[in-house]
Amino acid sequence: MSTPTASLPRLATLFRLLVAALACVALDGVMASEAAAQAPAVPRAERVVDFGDMTVRGAAPGPGAFYHVPRSTAADEPRELRRTFVRQIVESVGREPF
């Protein structure tokens, strides 16, 4: 049984795709083994805070940020409307599509 010549390019494309997928899987395995071979991270020292009758032990969860925004009051008065649009609104309602 022979393969028609029209499907040979398709088979070549599928073969290339299979080789590329296998290469990705192999590369992933290599990268995972290298990551596992690295030295573990240095653990953070446990922090101890003594309040006299109470002692708190623990480690900071990670970097954090704190900021304070002071409250402000708006001292501006609302501006007066220089131009009224009521006439234009009434005219637009009188036209199509209304």
Side-chain angles (χ1 to χ4, degrees):
M1 175 184 249
S2 70
T3 307
T5 56
S7 65
L8 285 179
R10 186 173 183 191
L11 285 175
T13 303
L14 288 174
F15 181 72
R16 287 186 192 120
L17 182 63
L18 178 64
V19 169
L22 289 174
C24 288
V25 169
L27 182 63
D28 184 45
V30 169
M31 296 299 279
S33 64
E34 286 180 10
Q38 291 178 354
V42 178
R44 293 184 179 183
E46 185 178 68
R47 186 172 179 183
V48 178
V49 180
D50 189 10
F51 292 107
D53 58 341
M54 181 174 48
T55 303
V56 177
R57 297 176 188 268
F66 176 77
Y67 62 93
H68 175 71
V69 179
R71 179 178 284 180
S72 64
T73 58
D76 296 334
E77 294 294 323
R79 300 184 81 188
E80 292 297 320
L81 186 60
R82 296 181 187 163
R83 183 174 160 194
T84 179
F85 294 99
V86 174
R87 183 178 54 83
Q88 292 174 341
I89 293 171
V90 170
E91 289 174 0
S92 70
V93 172
R95 291 185 298 227
E96 288 295 324
F98 298 107

